[in-house]
Amino acid sequence: MLPEAEIEPKPSRPRARSGPPASRGVSTGRVVWIALAFSVVLIASLYLFHRFEQFLIRDPRFALSGLDGDVAAIEIAGAAHASRAQIERVFAIDLGRSVYLLPLSERRDALRSVDWVRDASIARLWPNRVVVRVEERKPVAFLTLAPARFGLIDEDGVILPPAADRFTLPVLTGVRTSDALSDRRESVHRMMRLTRDLGDNVRNISEIDVSDRDNLKVTAPRDGHMVTLLLGDRNYAQRYRNFLSYYSKIKRSLPNAATLDLRLDDRITVVE
């Protein structure tokens, strides 16, 4: 027998790894055509917008005064005391022009300078109208402007011209028209803290003096004559109730007492 021959195994070759398929690049020409198409669409859109904008600006149907010059194209809502004529004057420069050109923010700022107007909103009502909605200021007191001449003042310290309405409000003293707006506002807020504390009793107060920030004074009619009460800077309601509870006794003992100091919560002092 022939001896068995040893057969050496052939060394295995390592398999080559297949990489990802090579990506096909976008041709330069295609990029150029895409950019060109985008530019054409953009230019066409801008041109159409420009034509449409010119249509809104030039077509007389969009003019604020209307084709027949109708001033009623300006609708005003909420103006009970503010002058309609003053509000319309704000838009005088816009009459005959397209409502598209109306600068809403500028006109709104101008409306805030009109007497009685606290804030306003403006809306275009196509094709050729404008709606103005006014929020008016609310007076909280009368203010002496001159001897025998009164105005009104609101919670922001803004002085308002007289109105035909009959307001049931106290007269505020210690505030001058020459005071800075911030000072007037602070004085009015002190007064309003007092009136909120007094609640319904404020209807019996005819005058409130805020000249001394640490000692508010009120004047109230009582039994045929005026009584001035020194209320300090706190506990207004309790101190006023003390006055109501003990005034009859004070009047019996001191019938001519005209000024009462209530700043100490446990006593009432008659000021000579």
Side-chain angles (χ1 to χ4, degrees), residues 91 161 249 269:
F91 299 92
K249 296 179 180 179
T269 304

Side-chain angles (χ1 to χ4, degrees), residues 129-143:
R129 302 176 72 189
V130 169
V131 177
V132 179
R133 301 190 183 279
V134 173
E135 177 192 342
E136 289 196 330
R137 296 186 178 276
K138 297 179 181 179
V140 295
F142 287 102
L143 189 69

Side-chain angles (χ1 to χ4, degrees), residues 5-261:
E6 292 185 2
I7 301 174
E8 257 183 57
K10 294 182 179 180
S12 60
R13 294 180 179 179
R15 293 183 180 180
R17 293 184 181 179
S18 58
S23 59
R24 298 177 62 186
V26 180
S27 65
T28 304
R30 188 175 180 184
V31 172
V32 171
W33 277 109
I34 292 174
L36 184 61
F38 179 78
S39 300
V40 170
V41 171
L42 179 61
I43 293 172
S45 300
L46 292 174
Y47 175 74
L48 291 174
F49 175 77
H50 173 72
R51 290 295 301 270
F52 180 66
E53 188 177 47
Q54 291 301 309
F55 168 67
L56 293 178
I57 293 172
R58 298 177 184 278
D59 194 295
R61 287 174 293 182
F62 302 115
L64 180 58
S65 59
L67 292 174
D68 301 322
D70 183 12
V71 178
I74 303 174
E75 285 188 21
I76 301 172
H81 302 96
S83 166
R84 181 184 178 91
Q86 289 185 22
I87 294 174
E88 288 178 348
R89 276 199 292 273
V90 170
F91 299 92
I93 194 173
D94 302 305
L95 294 175
R97 297 170 57 189
S98 172
V99 294
Y100 177 75
L101 296 174
L102 187 69
L104 300 181
S105 180
E106 291 181 22
R107 298 298 176 263
R108 185 182 177 194
D109 290 341
L111 285 172
R112 291 190 183 116
S113 66
V114 174
D115 289 337
W116 285 93
V117 176
R118 189 172 191 269
D119 202 355
S121 63
I122 308 171
R124 299 182 182 95
L125 191 61
W126 297 96
N128 60 355
R129 302 176 72 189
V130 169
V131 177
V132 179
R133 301 190 183 279
V134 173
E135 177 192 342
E136 289 196 330
R137 296 186 178 276
K138 297 179 181 179
V140 295
F142 287 102
L143 189 69
T144 304
L145 303 178
R149 180 168 167 258
F150 292 90
L152 295 159
I153 191 167
D154 80 339
E155 63 179 329
D156 295 322
V158 175
I159 298 173
L160 307 170
D165 301 39
R166 292 180 61 85
F167 294 104
T168 304
L169 299 169
V171 175
L172 178 63
T173 62
V175 176
R176 299 179 298 272
T177 56
S178 58
D179 291 342
L181 178 61
S182 58
D183 294 336
R184 295 201 303 265
R185 183 188 302 116
E186 182 185 354
S187 297
V188 171
H189 286 180
R190 290 203 304 273
M191 181 207 76
M192 293 182 68
R193 285 195 293 270
L194 181 147
T195 56
R196 282 194 297 267
D197 204 2
L198 291 183
D200 291 340
N201 287 319
V202 75
R203 292 179 297 183
N204 302 317
I205 303 298
S206 62
E207 184 177 294
I208 301 174
D209 184 351
V210 296
S211 55
D212 184 348
R213 62 181 306 145
D214 298 320
N215 183 21
L216 271 63
K217 306 171 188 176
V218 302
T219 301
R222 199 72 184 172
D223 297 338
H225 67 281
M226 306 300 289
V227 181
T228 299
L229 310 176
L230 280 57
L231 295 177
D233 60 356
R234 64 178 70 87
N235 297 339
Y236 303 120
Q238 181 59 49
R239 292 171 182 180
Y240 191 80
R241 285 194 293 269
N242 290 344
F243 160 70
L244 296 177
S245 300
Y246 294 102
Y247 179 69
S248 58
K249 296 179 180 179
I250 295 172
K251 186 182 178 184
R252 282 197 298 270
S253 58
L254 294 168
N256 295 322
T259 303
L260 305 178
D261 190 342

